[in-house]
Amino acid sequence: MRTIVCAEHMGFCFGVQRALSMVQKLDKPVTVLGDLIHNPQEIERLRKQGVAFVKHTAQLMGGTVVLSAHGSSAQRKRKVAERAERIVDATCPHVEKIHDIVRDLAPDTTLIIFGDPNHPEVKAVQNSASHALVITEVADIPQVAGPVALVAQTTQDSTRYKVFSQAVRQLNPTVQVFDTICHATADRQRAARAVAQDVDMMLVIGGKNSANTQRLAQIAGEIVETKHIETAAELLPEWFAGKDRIGVTAGASTPSWIIEEVIAAVRKF
Ligand code: SF4
């Protein structure tokens, strides 16, 4: 009999749950600027309820506009205000904390952001700072003249951030280091590690475009064979041959209905 071991923490985090309930309470139609969450299936479900998604402020045509959980720079908020009748800001409070830090920095501070330069959260923080560098590799850390501050994208791996911040401090001893990785991420990463050590294969469920889901797959993949899937339709029976214990975790943007569908499908193999 196959055993399915679910991670202690998985699926929707506080910020995503909060953003979705904000959208659900609004009279439709509403327009969301950017991905509300990084989960294509949940986005599609919302579309059917009258929620439109646009990528650029130029595409806004008035009405109610929701700003995504990933945060927006002050410039972007100003542009949205010119094209919306009402703005609902669904920025996660953990992301807002980074913007608060950036706002309080002295203008001559060089901000180092430990994160993915293409992620909307990182881009918004970078655009809010007067001078910001996005870096992920220790080898790329510069020695900076003047004040330096360091923040991390909320979904980065906390162990890697610790190593990175020590390296920044070696080159820039006066750097102000801020712990901006959110607990939801750390909890999911710790729980994924624990399950991966105890199973024959891990299934990591979530958007292929979700940074935190990709990170869970990377962490689990360093320990045991791991498959990153978005839905039950991707499961292949041959993956399960000779495997008795299957671990399951899911990114912070993954709704419980998808997790339940995957678990139900695994039980049938
Ligand atoms: S992962 Fe953390 S920072 Fe990102 S939306 Fe969820 S609670 Fe907020």
Side-chain angles (χ1 to χ4, degrees), residues 208-219:
K208 299 273 165 73
N209 58 346
S210 156
N212 75 84
T213 309
Q214 287 168 9
R215 201 93 58 220
L216 288 176
Q218 185 190 345
I219 287 169

Side-chain angles (χ1 to χ4, degrees), residues 13-16 69-70 92-95 121 154-155 180 182-185 212 252:
C13 61
F14 153 75
V16 167
H70 296 308
C92 173
H94 294 295
V95 177
E121 177 191 316
T154 51
T155 47
T180 52
C182 94
H183 293 297
T185 306
N212 75 84

Side-chain angles (χ1 to χ4, degrees), residues 79-123:
K79 276 193 195 159
V80 175
E82 288 165 11
R83 305 184 68 96
E85 279 144 39
R86 181 182 173 203
I87 298 177
V88 176
D89 191 349
T91 302
C92 173
H94 294 295
V95 177
E96 201 55 61
K97 179 181 138 188
I98 306 181
H99 286 271
D100 291 344
I101 290 168
V102 171
R103 249 190 310 274
D104 290 344
L105 292 175
D108 60 340
T109 304
T110 299
L111 177 70
I112 299 179
I113 307 169
F114 178 67
D116 171 0
N118 298 314
H119 192 279
E121 177 191 316
V122 173
K123 284 185 186 169

Side-chain angles (χ1 to χ4, degrees), residues 5-258:
V5 186
C6 292
E8 188 187 354
H9 300 278
M10 65 175 176
F12 277 174
C13 61
F14 153 75
V16 167
Q17 186 70 62
R18 179 177 171 273
L20 280 171
S21 29
M22 285 167 90
V23 169
Q24 256 139 17
K25 280 182 201 146
L26 292 169
D27 290 334
K28 312 296 181 296
V30 301
T31 305
V32 173
L33 181 58
D35 288 349
L36 186 66
I37 58 169
H38 282 158
N39 187 274
Q41 292 74 28
E42 186 66 9
I43 295 275
E44 195 45 44
R45 195 183 68 86
L46 289 167
R47 273 207 179 99
K48 289 185 183 141
Q49 293 175 4
V51 183
F53 294 88
V54 300
K55 287 216 176 302
H56 308 289
T57 45
Q59 295 167 277
L60 295 172
M61 309 288 279
T64 301
V65 174
V66 180
L67 301 178
S68 87
H70 296 308
S72 312
S73 67
Q75 300 96 295
R76 191 169 220 214
K77 283 185 187 170
R78 274 196 297 275
K79 276 193 195 159
V80 175
E82 288 165 11
R83 305 184 68 96
E85 279 144 39
R86 181 182 173 203
I87 298 177
V88 176
D89 191 349
T91 302
C92 173
H94 294 295
V95 177
E96 201 55 61
K97 179 181 138 188
I98 306 181
H99 286 271
D100 291 344
I101 290 168
V102 171
R103 249 190 310 274
D104 290 344
L105 292 175
D108 60 340
T109 304
T110 299
L111 177 70
I112 299 179
I113 307 169
F114 178 67
D116 171 0
N118 298 314
H119 192 279
E121 177 191 316
V122 173
K123 284 185 186 169
V125 173
Q126 189 175 19
N127 290 337
S128 294
S130 45
H131 180 48
L133 304 167
V134 183
I135 303 174
T136 43
E137 298 301 329
V138 167
D140 297 332
I141 298 170
Q143 195 163 18
V144 180
V148 188
L150 174 65
V151 296
Q153 181 183 354
T154 51
T155 47
Q156 287 294 315
D157 178 78
S158 41
T159 311
R160 285 188 63 220
Y161 185 48
K162 208 168 168 190
V163 172
F164 186 87
S165 55
Q166 280 162 355
V168 174
R169 201 177 299 243
Q170 268 182 358
L171 284 169
N172 302 276
T174 60
V175 62
Q176 297 181 75
V177 178
F178 296 94
D179 178 5
T180 52
I181 293 179
C182 94
H183 293 297
T185 306
D187 288 347
R188 277 154 187 70
Q189 291 175 357
R190 205 175 28 249
R193 269 193 198 98
V195 174
Q197 279 156 6
D198 189 34
V199 294
D200 302 315
M201 182 175 72
M202 277 295 280
L203 294 176
V204 179
I205 313 163
K208 299 273 165 73
N209 58 346
S210 156
N212 75 84
T213 309
Q214 287 168 9
R215 201 93 58 220
L216 288 176
Q218 185 190 345
I219 287 169
E222 285 165 8
I223 299 168
V224 72
E225 183 184 342
T226 296
K227 308 286 186 195
H228 178 178
I229 54 166
E230 286 191 354
T231 67
E234 291 165 66
L235 295 169
L236 296 175
E238 53 264 37
W239 291 353
F240 300 91
K243 300 205 169 71
D244 295 330
R245 291 176 68 79
I246 307 298
V248 173
T249 188
S253 302
T254 310
S256 50
W257 61 269
I258 293 184

